[in-house]
Amino acid sequence: MLNISRKPGRCIKRSHDSLYSNSTIREILRSNNQEEYLGRQRNYYAQTAAVGADTTWVGSNLVTEWHRRNIRIFGHLAKITNPDDRVIVIFGSGHAPLLRYFVESSQDMELIDPLDYL
């Protein structure tokens, strides 16, 4: 069972513009790997999925393709790695929530928090 209530949204673009204009690359990477930021990324796709839910399903179709892309990225990552490999993955931050989910779900991989190195 799901118990759902609506909360006011937050604007990702405004925070991006300010961060990218006033920060170092290290600060941007640290910010983009914080749980709060990753949560906003997940929220964006959750909101997008609802667009056109009663007519065209345009939002859910877009999110379906986004998931397909991330599943393929993860598939390639799984294919090219071997036991005991250490791999750094650099992708746009919108991919991070799903790629992290897949790595954390895999019994063959371990996610190392990038914040430990930034």
Side-chain angles (χ1 to χ4, degrees), residues 24-103:
T24 66
I25 292 173
R26 180 177 185 260
E27 290 168 335
I28 293 168
L29 291 173
R30 284 193 62 77
S31 176
N32 288 355
N33 282 282
Q34 298 289 334
E35 184 53 43
E36 178 186 350
Y37 180 82
L38 297 172
R40 288 196 311 261
Q41 290 288 348
R42 288 188 301 269
N43 179 61
Y44 171 79
Y45 291 102
Q47 288 182 346
T48 300
V51 174
D54 57 347
T55 55
T56 63
W57 299 100
V58 67
S60 64
N61 291 339
L62 179 76
V63 173
T64 297
E65 290 305 314
W66 185 249
H67 276 261
R68 180 190 322 269
R69 176 157 170 69
N70 283 285
I71 290 167
R72 287 181 175 172
I73 293 167
F74 175 76
H76 286 295
L77 181 61
K79 181 180 177 182
I80 65 167
T81 57
N82 296 304
D84 298 323
D85 279 355
R86 292 178 57 99
V87 178
I88 184 170
V89 178
I90 301 173
F91 261 91
S93 61
H95 296 277
L98 285 173
L99 294 177
R100 284 174 177 236
Y101 169 78
F102 294 130
V103 170

Side-chain angles (χ1 to χ4, degrees), residues 14-27:
R14 237 185 339 263
S15 63
H16 268 167
D17 291 347
S18 174
L19 178 68
Y20 288 16
S21 297
N22 303 307
S23 304
T24 66
I25 292 173
R26 180 177 185 260
E27 290 168 335

